[in-house]
Amino acid sequence: MIRLICCLLLLSTLTACTASEVAEPSPLRTTTVATGDLDFLSAQTRYFAWHPTLAKVVADERVQSDQVISNMQHALKKVLEAKGYQLVSSQQSPDLLVGFGLTLSSDMSDSEILQKTGLVPGLSTFGVDMNKYEKGSVLVALFEPQSQEPVWRALGQGFTDFERDGAKRQQGFNEFISVMLMAVPVI
């Protein structure tokens, strides 16, 4: 009995002395939500064009909107072409239209994004140095050419580091777009 009490005391002493370290959340984490029906995409849905009005950047002077739109189109084109789709002009009767929007959390809150898109991934900023990183949101929407409303939408959030080299930042962004469009079928 004394041996059992000694073991319990020793065990409680050991557990009382344990320490655990909480890892700092990574600013590289992302989250994405999607809604809609991709069944309209088939082997006959080969050609896409840019949506005539949905190519928007809502951000402050740290972001060059024209450059971001160009980078976004490049990333989307690369991913969609790898899946078998081909970019055409809007005059060439595309099978689908691709639109997008980007914003920073300092320019549009999650509640504003939810109000405008009906979606919000809700990426937490807990544990992230918000002096170094800023949460960004990216919307990609697919439209049938005759439709005013998107057939499918994906909204992703991640952190951007304005101090990071432009080429590395673009590579990370390209990978993020690839993940966002993972549900789009290969034709």
Side-chain angles (χ1 to χ4, degrees):
M1 184 64 154
I2 293 182
R3 189 180 276 178
L4 178 62
I5 294 173
C6 288
C7 285
L8 288 174
L9 284 174
L10 181 60
L11 186 59
S12 67
T13 304
L14 289 175
T15 58
C17 294
T18 61
S20 62
E21 187 174 314
V22 177
E24 182 177 328
S26 169
L28 299 177
R29 68 181 187 253
T30 61
T31 186
T32 302
V33 294
T35 186
D37 187 2
L38 290 171
D39 286 346
F40 80 100
L41 298 176
S42 68
Q44 289 73 39
T45 312
R46 307 195 89 105
Y47 305 105
F48 74 95
W50 303 122
H51 191 276
T53 59
L54 187 55
K56 298 193 186 286
V57 176
V58 179
D60 58 38
E61 68 280 347
R62 294 175 294 171
V63 176
Q64 297 174 341
S65 294
D66 291 342
Q67 185 64 49
V68 170
I69 288 171
S70 176
N71 291 349
M72 183 68 177
Q73 287 176 332
H74 175 77
L76 287 166
K77 181 178 183 259
K78 183 176 178 178
V79 171
L80 290 170
E81 285 181 345
K83 291 178 175 274
Y85 301 90
Q86 184 178 5
L87 178 63
V88 297
S89 74
S90 57
Q91 290 77 31
Q92 293 177 294
S93 299
D95 301 309
L96 77 131
L97 299 175
V98 179
F100 58 89
L102 297 95
T103 190
L104 297 173
S105 60
S106 60
D107 298 295
M108 189 178 287
S109 69
D110 279 358
S111 60
E112 290 173 295
I113 292 169
L114 178 61
Q115 184 179 17
K116 291 184 183 290
T117 67
L119 300 170
V120 66
L123 180 63
S124 172
T125 59
F126 178 77
V128 176
D129 180 357
M130 296 309 289
N131 292 317
K132 181 175 181 181
Y133 301 98
E134 182 159 3
K135 183 166 73 170
S137 300
V138 178
L139 172 73
V140 176
L142 304 182
F143 296 79
E144 289 181 302
Q146 317 81 337
S147 178
Q148 296 290 326
E149 294 297 318
V151 177
W152 181 85
R153 297 171 291 154
L155 181 65
Q157 290 182 325
F159 294 100
T160 187
D161 178 357
F162 287 104
E163 296 173 8
R164 192 173 179 196
D165 172 74
K168 287 182 182 178
R169 190 170 47 223
Q170 183 63 42
Q171 179 183 353
F173 187 70
N174 290 349
E175 292 167 4
F176 181 59
I177 296 301
S178 181
V179 169
M180 285 184 68
L181 297 180
M182 207 177 309
V184 175
V186 175
I187 57 167

